[in-house]
PDB file of all heavy atoms in Angstrom:
ATOM      1  N   GLY A   1       0.664  -1.195   0.000  1.00  0.00           N
ATOM      2  CA  GLY A   1       0.000   0.000   0.000  1.00  0.00           C
ATOM      3  C   GLY A   1       0.720   1.295   0.000  1.00  0.00           C
ATOM      4  O   GLY A   1       0.626   2.031   0.959  1.00  0.00           O
ATOM      5  N   LYS A   2       1.398   1.599  -1.115  1.00  0.00           N
ATOM      6  CA  LYS A   2       1.958   2.939  -1.249  1.00  0.00           C
ATOM      7  C   LYS A   2       1.506   3.524  -2.586  1.00  0.00           C
ATOM      8  O   LYS A   2       2.230   3.491  -3.565  1.00  0.00           O
ATOM      9  CB  LYS A   2       3.491   2.886  -1.192  1.00  0.00           C
ATOM     10  CG  LYS A   2       4.008   2.327   0.120  1.00  0.00           C
ATOM     11  CD  LYS A   2       5.479   2.608   0.265  1.00  0.00           C
ATOM     12  CE  LYS A   2       6.079   1.870   1.448  1.00  0.00           C
ATOM     13  NZ  LYS A   2       5.329   2.100   2.684  1.00  0.00           N
ATOM     14  N   PRO A   3       0.293   4.052  -2.615  1.00  0.00           N
ATOM     15  CA  PRO A   3      -0.301   4.561  -3.873  1.00  0.00           C
ATOM     16  C   PRO A   3       0.558   5.637  -4.518  1.00  0.00           C
ATOM     17  O   PRO A   3       0.687   5.686  -5.723  1.00  0.00           O
ATOM     18  CB  PRO A   3      -1.648   5.133  -3.424  1.00  0.00           C
ATOM     19  CG  PRO A   3      -1.948   4.444  -2.128  1.00  0.00           C
ATOM     20  CD  PRO A   3      -0.625   4.173  -1.488  1.00  0.00           C
ATOM     21  N   LYS A   4       1.127   6.531  -3.690  1.00  0.00           N
ATOM     22  CA  LYS A   4       1.946   7.612  -4.253  1.00  0.00           C
ATOM     23  C   LYS A   4       3.135   7.043  -5.031  1.00  0.00           C
ATOM     24  O   LYS A   4       3.433   7.478  -6.138  1.00  0.00           O
ATOM     25  CB  LYS A   4       2.458   8.519  -3.125  1.00  0.00           C
ATOM     26  CG  LYS A   4       1.378   9.442  -2.580  1.00  0.00           C
ATOM     27  CD  LYS A   4       1.974  10.415  -1.580  1.00  0.00           C
ATOM     28  CE  LYS A   4       0.908  11.375  -1.059  1.00  0.00           C
ATOM     29  NZ  LYS A   4       1.484  12.318  -0.084  1.00  0.00           N
ATOM     30  N   LEU A   5       3.813   6.067  -4.432  1.00  0.00           N
ATOM     31  CA  LEU A   5       4.979   5.473  -5.087  1.00  0.00           C
ATOM     32  C   LEU A   5       4.566   4.769  -6.371  1.00  0.00           C
ATOM     33  O   LEU A   5       5.222   4.897  -7.403  1.00  0.00           O
ATOM     34  CB  LEU A   5       5.642   4.476  -4.132  1.00  0.00           C
ATOM     35  CG  LEU A   5       6.926   3.846  -4.686  1.00  0.00           C
ATOM     36  CD1 LEU A   5       7.948   4.914  -4.997  1.00  0.00           C
ATOM     37  CD2 LEU A   5       7.494   2.843  -3.695  1.00  0.00           C
ATOM     38  N   VAL A   6       3.454   4.049  -6.318  1.00  0.00           N
ATOM     39  CA  VAL A   6       2.962   3.339  -7.503  1.00  0.00           C
ATOM     40  C   VAL A   6       2.650   4.320  -8.628  1.00  0.00           C
ATOM     41  O   VAL A   6       3.025   4.100  -9.779  1.00  0.00           O
ATOM     42  CB  VAL A   6       1.707   2.514  -7.156  1.00  0.00           C
ATOM     43  CG1 VAL A   6       1.097   1.904  -8.424  1.00  0.00           C
ATOM     44  CG2 VAL A   6       2.071   1.410  -6.167  1.00  0.00           C
ATOM     45  N   ALA A   7       1.989   5.416  -8.286  1.00  0.00           N
ATOM     46  CA  ALA A   7       1.639   6.416  -9.289  1.00  0.00           C
ATOM     47  C   ALA A   7       2.905   7.049  -9.869  1.00  0.00           C
ATOM     48  O   ALA A   7       3.006   7.264 -11.072  1.00  0.00           O
ATOM     49  CB  ALA A   7       0.749   7.489  -8.665  1.00  0.00           C
ATOM     50  N   LEU A   8       3.866   7.336  -9.011  1.00  0.00           N
ATOM     51  CA  LEU A   8       5.118   7.950  -9.460  1.00  0.00           C
ATOM     52  C   LEU A   8       5.846   7.030 -10.434  1.00  0.00           C
ATOM     53  O   LEU A   8       6.320   7.456 -11.483  1.00  0.00           O
ATOM     54  CB  LEU A   8       6.006   8.231  -8.245  1.00  0.00           C
ATOM     55  CG  LEU A   8       7.297   8.982  -8.558  1.00  0.00           C
ATOM     56  CD1 LEU A   8       6.983  10.360  -9.107  1.00  0.00           C
ATOM     57  CD2 LEU A   8       8.154   9.102  -7.308  1.00  0.00           C
ATOM     58  N   ILE A   9       5.910   5.756 -10.107  1.00  0.00           N
ATOM     59  CA  ILE A   9       6.569   4.788 -10.983  1.00  0.00           C
ATOM     60  C   ILE A   9       5.835   4.688 -12.320  1.00  0.00           C
ATOM     61  O   ILE A   9       6.460   4.631 -13.378  1.00  0.00           O
ATOM     62  CB  ILE A   9       6.639   3.402 -10.302  1.00  0.00           C
ATOM     63  CG1 ILE A   9       7.579   3.478  -9.093  1.00  0.00           C
ATOM     64  CG2 ILE A   9       7.102   2.341 -11.292  1.00  0.00           C
ATOM     65  CD1 ILE A   9       7.606   2.198  -8.282  1.00  0.00           C
ATOM     66  N   ALA A  10       4.501   4.705 -12.272  1.00  0.00           N
ATOM     67  CA  ALA A  10       3.719   4.617 -13.508  1.00  0.00           C
ATOM     68  C   ALA A  10       4.023   5.800 -14.419  1.00  0.00           C
ATOM     69  O   ALA A  10       4.207   5.642 -15.625  1.00  0.00           O
ATOM     70  CB  ALA A  10       2.232   4.578 -13.168  1.00  0.00           C
ATOM     71  N   VAL A  11       4.097   6.998 -13.849  1.00  0.00           N
ATOM     72  CA  VAL A  11       4.403   8.196 -14.639  1.00  0.00           C
ATOM     73  C   VAL A  11       5.813   8.097 -15.199  1.00  0.00           C
ATOM     74  O   VAL A  11       6.052   8.401 -16.374  1.00  0.00           O
ATOM     75  CB  VAL A  11       4.253   9.460 -13.778  1.00  0.00           C
ATOM     76  CG1 VAL A  11       4.750  10.687 -14.530  1.00  0.00           C
ATOM     77  CG2 VAL A  11       2.790   9.651 -13.388  1.00  0.00           C
ATOM     78  N   ALA A  12       6.758   7.680 -14.383  1.00  0.00           N
ATOM     79  CA  ALA A  12       8.151   7.566 -14.826  1.00  0.00           C
ATOM     80  C   ALA A  12       8.268   6.582 -15.983  1.00  0.00           C
ATOM     81  O   ALA A  12       8.958   6.842 -16.963  1.00  0.00           O
ATOM     82  CB  ALA A  12       9.027   7.117 -13.657  1.00  0.00           C
ATOM     83  N   ARG A  13       7.573   5.451 -15.872  1.00  0.00           N
ATOM     84  CA  ARG A  13       7.629   4.451 -16.943  1.00  0.00           C
ATOM     85  C   ARG A  13       7.056   5.006 -18.241  1.00  0.00           C
ATOM     86  O   ARG A  13       7.566   4.740 -19.331  1.00  0.00           O
ATOM     87  CB  ARG A  13       6.861   3.191 -16.518  1.00  0.00           C
ATOM     88  CG  ARG A  13       7.633   2.358 -15.509  1.00  0.00           C
ATOM     89  CD  ARG A  13       6.791   1.188 -15.020  1.00  0.00           C
ATOM     90  NE  ARG A  13       6.352   0.361 -16.127  1.00  0.00           N
ATOM     91  CZ  ARG A  13       7.076  -0.653 -16.650  1.00  0.00           C
ATOM     92  NH1 ARG A  13       8.254  -0.938 -16.154  1.00  0.00           N
ATOM     93  NH2 ARG A  13       6.601  -1.351 -17.647  1.00  0.00           N
ATOM     94  N   LYS A  14       5.985   5.804 -18.134  1.00  0.00           N
ATOM     95  CA  LYS A  14       5.371   6.392 -19.317  1.00  0.00           C
ATOM     96  C   LYS A  14       6.331   7.384 -19.970  1.00  0.00           C
ATOM     97  O   LYS A  14       6.502   7.396 -21.191  1.00  0.00           O
ATOM     98  CB  LYS A  14       4.060   7.090 -18.939  1.00  0.00           C
ATOM     99  CG  LYS A  14       3.305   7.594 -20.159  1.00  0.00           C
ATOM    100  CD  LYS A  14       1.916   8.079 -19.770  1.00  0.00           C
ATOM    101  CE  LYS A  14       1.130   8.475 -21.010  1.00  0.00           C
ATOM    102  NZ  LYS A  14      -0.230   8.917 -20.683  1.00  0.00           N
ATOM    103  N   LEU A  15       6.989   8.190 -19.139  1.00  0.00           N
ATOM    104  CA  LEU A  15       7.957   9.160 -19.672  1.00  0.00           C
ATOM    105  C   LEU A  15       9.103   8.444 -20.367  1.00  0.00           C
ATOM    106  O   LEU A  15       9.548   8.851 -21.438  1.00  0.00           O
ATOM    107  CB  LEU A  15       8.500  10.034 -18.533  1.00  0.00           C
ATOM    108  CG  LEU A  15       7.496  11.040 -17.974  1.00  0.00           C
ATOM    109  CD1 LEU A  15       8.101  11.778 -16.793  1.00  0.00           C
ATOM    110  CD2 LEU A  15       7.073  12.035 -19.056  1.00  0.00           C
ATOM    111  N   ILE A  16       9.580   7.361 -19.763  1.00  0.00           N
ATOM    112  CA  ILE A  16      10.670   6.588 -20.365  1.00  0.00           C
ATOM    113  C   ILE A  16      10.239   6.034 -21.718  1.00  0.00           C
ATOM    114  O   ILE A  16      10.996   6.073 -22.687  1.00  0.00           O
ATOM    115  CB  ILE A  16      11.100   5.440 -19.418  1.00  0.00           C
ATOM    116  CG1 ILE A  16      11.792   6.036 -18.188  1.00  0.00           C
ATOM    117  CG2 ILE A  16      12.036   4.472 -20.147  1.00  0.00           C
ATOM    118  CD1 ILE A  16      12.078   5.001 -17.116  1.00  0.00           C
ATOM    119  N   THR A  17       9.012   5.543 -21.797  1.00  0.00           N
ATOM    120  CA  THR A  17       8.504   5.012 -23.062  1.00  0.00           C
ATOM    121  C   THR A  17       8.475   6.097 -24.136  1.00  0.00           C
ATOM    122  O   THR A  17       8.881   5.874 -25.284  1.00  0.00           O
ATOM    123  CB  THR A  17       7.086   4.446 -22.867  1.00  0.00           C
ATOM    124  OG1 THR A  17       7.142   3.421 -21.883  1.00  0.00           O
ATOM    125  CG2 THR A  17       6.550   3.862 -24.169  1.00  0.00           C
ATOM    126  N   ILE A  18       8.013   7.293 -23.751  1.00  0.00           N
ATOM    127  CA  ILE A  18       7.961   8.408 -24.705  1.00  0.00           C
ATOM    128  C   ILE A  18       9.361   8.786 -25.157  1.00  0.00           C
ATOM    129  O   ILE A  18       9.613   8.976 -26.346  1.00  0.00           O
ATOM    130  CB  ILE A  18       7.246   9.614 -24.062  1.00  0.00           C
ATOM    131  CG1 ILE A  18       5.765   9.286 -23.826  1.00  0.00           C
ATOM    132  CG2 ILE A  18       7.380  10.847 -24.943  1.00  0.00           C
ATOM    133  CD1 ILE A  18       5.037  10.355 -23.032  1.00  0.00           C
ATOM    134  N   LEU A  19      10.287   8.888 -24.215  1.00  0.00           N
ATOM    135  CA  LEU A  19      11.668   9.254 -24.556  1.00  0.00           C
ATOM    136  C   LEU A  19      12.287   8.217 -25.484  1.00  0.00           C
ATOM    137  O   LEU A  19      12.968   8.559 -26.456  1.00  0.00           O
ATOM    138  CB  LEU A  19      12.506   9.388 -23.281  1.00  0.00           C
ATOM    139  CG  LEU A  19      12.145  10.595 -22.422  1.00  0.00           C
ATOM    140  CD1 LEU A  19      12.948  10.587 -21.135  1.00  0.00           C
ATOM    141  CD2 LEU A  19      12.397  11.890 -23.184  1.00  0.00           C
ATOM    142  N   ASN A  20      12.042   6.941 -25.206  1.00  0.00           N
ATOM    143  CA  ASN A  20      12.560   5.882 -26.064  1.00  0.00           C
ATOM    144  C   ASN A  20      11.999   6.006 -27.476  1.00  0.00           C
ATOM    145  O   ASN A  20      12.702   5.791 -28.454  1.00  0.00           O
ATOM    146  CB  ASN A  20      12.202   4.507 -25.482  1.00  0.00           C
ATOM    147  CG  ASN A  20      13.107   4.160 -24.314  1.00  0.00           C
ATOM    148  OD1 ASN A  20      14.180   4.714 -24.172  1.00  0.00           O
ATOM    149  ND2 ASN A  20      12.667   3.243 -23.488  1.00  0.00           N
ATOM    150  N   ALA A  21      10.719   6.362 -27.584  1.00  0.00           N
ATOM    151  CA  ALA A  21      10.091   6.518 -28.892  1.00  0.00           C
ATOM    152  C   ALA A  21      10.730   7.684 -29.644  1.00  0.00           C
ATOM    153  O   ALA A  21      10.967   7.600 -30.849  1.00  0.00           O
ATOM    154  CB  ALA A  21       8.593   6.756 -28.728  1.00  0.00           C
ATOM    155  N   ILE A  22      11.020   8.782 -28.944  1.00  0.00           N
ATOM    156  CA  ILE A  22      11.661   9.940 -29.581  1.00  0.00           C
ATOM    157  C   ILE A  22      13.034   9.551 -30.125  1.00  0.00           C
ATOM    158  O   ILE A  22      13.381   9.856 -31.267  1.00  0.00           O
ATOM    159  CB  ILE A  22      11.790  11.099 -28.575  1.00  0.00           C
ATOM    160  CG1 ILE A  22      10.399  11.618 -28.187  1.00  0.00           C
ATOM    161  CG2 ILE A  22      12.615  12.242 -29.160  1.00  0.00           C
ATOM    162  CD1 ILE A  22      10.442  12.621 -27.054  1.00  0.00           C
ATOM    163  N   VAL A  23      13.804   8.871 -29.308  1.00  0.00           N
ATOM    164  CA  VAL A  23      15.149   8.463 -29.729  1.00  0.00           C
ATOM    165  C   VAL A  23      15.064   7.514 -30.916  1.00  0.00           C
ATOM    166  O   VAL A  23      15.829   7.618 -31.873  1.00  0.00           O
ATOM    167  CB  VAL A  23      15.896   7.786 -28.562  1.00  0.00           C
ATOM    168  CG1 VAL A  23      17.222   7.201 -29.039  1.00  0.00           C
ATOM    169  CG2 VAL A  23      16.143   8.816 -27.452  1.00  0.00           C
ATOM    170  N   ARG A  24      14.119   6.599 -30.877  1.00  0.00           N
ATOM    171  CA  ARG A  24      13.976   5.614 -31.943  1.00  0.00           C
ATOM    172  C   ARG A  24      13.592   6.297 -33.260  1.00  0.00           C
ATOM    173  O   ARG A  24      14.114   5.961 -34.321  1.00  0.00           O
ATOM    174  CB  ARG A  24      12.880   4.609 -31.555  1.00  0.00           C
ATOM    175  CG  ARG A  24      12.672   3.529 -32.605  1.00  0.00           C
ATOM    176  CD  ARG A  24      11.392   2.764 -32.300  1.00  0.00           C
ATOM    177  NE  ARG A  24      10.248   3.665 -32.368  1.00  0.00           N
ATOM    178  CZ  ARG A  24       9.115   3.483 -31.681  1.00  0.00           C
ATOM    179  NH1 ARG A  24       9.007   2.475 -30.858  1.00  0.00           N
ATOM    180  NH2 ARG A  24       8.121   4.331 -31.810  1.00  0.00           N
ATOM    181  N   ASP A  25      12.671   7.235 -33.182  1.00  0.00           N
ATOM    182  CA  ASP A  25      12.187   7.878 -34.401  1.00  0.00           C
ATOM    183  C   ASP A  25      13.103   8.998 -34.861  1.00  0.00           C
ATOM    184  O   ASP A  25      12.973   9.491 -35.973  1.00  0.00           O
ATOM    185  CB  ASP A  25      10.774   8.446 -34.165  1.00  0.00           C
ATOM    186  CG  ASP A  25       9.788   7.327 -33.853  1.00  0.00           C
ATOM    187  OD1 ASP A  25      10.065   6.179 -34.241  1.00  0.00           O
ATOM    188  OD2 ASP A  25       8.757   7.601 -33.222  1.00  0.00           O
ATOM    189  N   GLN A  26      14.025   9.423 -33.979  1.00  0.00           N
ATOM    190  CA  GLN A  26      14.949  10.507 -34.317  1.00  0.00           C
ATOM    191  C   GLN A  26      14.197  11.745 -34.789  1.00  0.00           C
ATOM    192  O   GLN A  26      14.478  12.314 -35.836  1.00  0.00           O
ATOM    193  CB  GLN A  26      15.924  10.039 -35.416  1.00  0.00           C
ATOM    194  CG  GLN A  26      16.921   9.024 -34.898  1.00  0.00           C
ATOM    195  CD  GLN A  26      17.860   9.607 -33.860  1.00  0.00           C
ATOM    196  OE1 GLN A  26      18.378  10.700 -34.028  1.00  0.00           O
ATOM    197  NE2 GLN A  26      18.081   8.897 -32.768  1.00  0.00           N
ATOM    198  N   GLN A  27      13.198  12.149 -33.999  1.00  0.00           N
ATOM    199  CA  GLN A  27      12.452  13.362 -34.349  1.00  0.00           C
ATOM    200  C   GLN A  27      11.972  14.004 -33.047  1.00  0.00           C
ATOM    201  O   GLN A  27      11.798  13.341 -32.051  1.00  0.00           O
ATOM    202  CB  GLN A  27      11.246  13.012 -35.230  1.00  0.00           C
ATOM    203  CG  GLN A  27      10.209  12.148 -34.528  1.00  0.00           C
ATOM    204  CD  GLN A  27       9.085  11.762 -35.470  1.00  0.00           C
ATOM    205  OE1 GLN A  27       9.196  11.924 -36.673  1.00  0.00           O
ATOM    206  NE2 GLN A  27       8.010  11.235 -34.923  1.00  0.00           N
ATOM    207  N   PRO A  28      11.791  15.323 -33.059  1.00  0.00           N
ATOM    208  CA  PRO A  28      11.328  16.024 -31.867  1.00  0.00           C
ATOM    209  C   PRO A  28       9.920  15.566 -31.475  1.00  0.00           C
ATOM    210  O   PRO A  28       9.131  15.157 -32.316  1.00  0.00           O
ATOM    211  CB  PRO A  28      11.335  17.493 -32.269  1.00  0.00           C
ATOM    212  CG  PRO A  28      11.270  17.484 -33.766  1.00  0.00           C
ATOM    213  CD  PRO A  28      11.975  16.229 -34.179  1.00  0.00           C
ATOM    214  N   TRP A  29       9.607  15.690 -30.205  1.00  0.00           N
ATOM    215  CA  TRP A  29       8.298  15.263 -29.708  1.00  0.00           C
ATOM    216  C   TRP A  29       7.229  16.222 -30.205  1.00  0.00           C
ATOM    217  O   TRP A  29       7.341  17.438 -30.097  1.00  0.00           O
ATOM    218  CB  TRP A  29       8.327  15.228 -28.188  1.00  0.00           C
ATOM    219  CG  TRP A  29       6.965  15.075 -27.588  1.00  0.00           C
ATOM    220  CD1 TRP A  29       6.294  16.023 -26.887  1.00  0.00           C
ATOM    221  CD2 TRP A  29       6.129  13.922 -27.637  1.00  0.00           C
ATOM    222  NE1 TRP A  29       5.068  15.505 -26.510  1.00  0.00           N
ATOM    223  CE2 TRP A  29       4.941  14.238 -26.942  1.00  0.00           C
ATOM    224  CE3 TRP A  29       6.263  12.655 -28.200  1.00  0.00           C
ATOM    225  CZ2 TRP A  29       3.903  13.321 -26.792  1.00  0.00           C
ATOM    226  CZ3 TRP A  29       5.225  11.762 -28.050  1.00  0.00           C
ATOM    227  CH2 TRP A  29       4.072  12.078 -27.365  1.00  0.00           C
ATOM    228  N   ARG A  30       6.168  15.648 -30.727  1.00  0.00           N
ATOM    229  CA  ARG A  30       5.021  16.457 -31.129  1.00  0.00           C
ATOM    230  C   ARG A  30       3.771  15.856 -30.509  1.00  0.00           C
ATOM    231  O   ARG A  30       3.536  14.650 -30.625  1.00  0.00           O
ATOM    232  CB  ARG A  30       4.868  16.456 -32.662  1.00  0.00           C
ATOM    233  CG  ARG A  30       6.019  17.161 -33.365  1.00  0.00           C
ATOM    234  CD  ARG A  30       5.667  17.349 -34.826  1.00  0.00           C
ATOM    235  NE  ARG A  30       5.381  16.066 -35.462  1.00  0.00           N
ATOM    236  CZ  ARG A  30       6.238  15.416 -36.265  1.00  0.00           C
ATOM    237  NH1 ARG A  30       7.403  15.948 -36.543  1.00  0.00           N
ATOM    238  NH2 ARG A  30       5.910  14.268 -36.800  1.00  0.00           N
ATOM    239  N   GLU A  31       2.962  16.698 -29.883  1.00  0.00           N
ATOM    240  CA  GLU A  31       1.741  16.181 -29.248  1.00  0.00           C
ATOM    241  C   GLU A  31       0.768  15.737 -30.329  1.00  0.00           C
ATOM    242  O   GLU A  31       0.493  16.492 -31.276  1.00  0.00           O
ATOM    243  CB  GLU A  31       1.097  17.282 -28.392  1.00  0.00           C
ATOM    244  CG  GLU A  31       1.961  17.654 -27.202  1.00  0.00           C
ATOM    245  CD  GLU A  31       1.133  17.688 -25.928  1.00  0.00           C
ATOM    246  OE1 GLU A  31      -0.019  17.244 -25.960  1.00  0.00           O
ATOM    247  OE2 GLU A  31       1.639  18.157 -24.915  1.00  0.00           O
ATOM    248  N   GLN A  32       0.250  14.548 -30.172  1.00  0.00           N
ATOM    249  CA  GLN A  32      -0.687  14.036 -31.160  1.00  0.00           C
ATOM    250  C   GLN A  32      -2.057  14.640 -30.906  1.00  0.00           C
ATOM    251  O   GLN A  32      -2.638  14.469 -29.838  1.00  0.00           O
ATOM    252  CB  GLN A  32      -0.769  12.509 -31.060  1.00  0.00           C
ATOM    253  CG  GLN A  32       0.526  11.847 -31.500  1.00  0.00           C
ATOM    254  CD  GLN A  32       0.392  10.328 -31.429  1.00  0.00           C
ATOM    255  OE1 GLN A  32      -0.561   9.812 -30.900  1.00  0.00           O
ATOM    256  NE2 GLN A  32       1.377   9.646 -31.945  1.00  0.00           N
ATOM    257  N   THR A  33      -2.586  15.370 -31.881  1.00  0.00           N
ATOM    258  CA  THR A  33      -3.914  15.961 -31.754  1.00  0.00           C
ATOM    259  C   THR A  33      -4.853  15.249 -32.708  1.00  0.00           C
ATOM    260  O   THR A  33      -4.690  15.353 -33.914  1.00  0.00           O
ATOM    261  CB  THR A  33      -3.863  17.461 -32.065  1.00  0.00           C
ATOM    262  OG1 THR A  33      -3.281  17.643 -33.358  1.00  0.00           O
ATOM    263  CG2 THR A  33      -3.008  18.208 -31.052  1.00  0.00           C
ATOM    264  N   ALA A  34      -5.808  14.504 -32.133  1.00  0.00           N
ATOM    265  CA  ALA A  34      -6.677  13.702 -32.985  1.00  0.00           C
ATOM    266  C   ALA A  34      -8.100  14.207 -33.015  1.00  0.00           C
ATOM    267  O   ALA A  34      -8.458  15.233 -32.656  1.00  0.00           O
ATOM    268  CB  ALA A  34      -6.722  12.263 -32.489  1.00  0.00           C
TER     269      ALA A  34
END
């Protein structure tokens, strides 16, 4: 039971995924507007 830690880890993992995608695509981050 540490909801704060769980939420923090979830956000960190999401950021890491986004950063990995940027590096892989070799392009600046652009917010997807659908």
Side-chain angles (χ1 to χ4, degrees):
K2 299 194 189 308
K4 284 186 178 180
L5 183 59
V6 173
L8 185 63
I9 293 174
V11 172
R13 285 175 57 87
K14 186 171 185 179
L15 288 176
I16 291 172
T17 301
I18 293 172
L19 290 176
N20 283 340
I22 294 172
V23 173
R24 181 192 62 207
D25 297 337
Q26 289 295 315
Q27 64 184 13
W29 168 249
R30 294 191 302 257
E31 293 228 10
Q32 292 182 350
T33 55

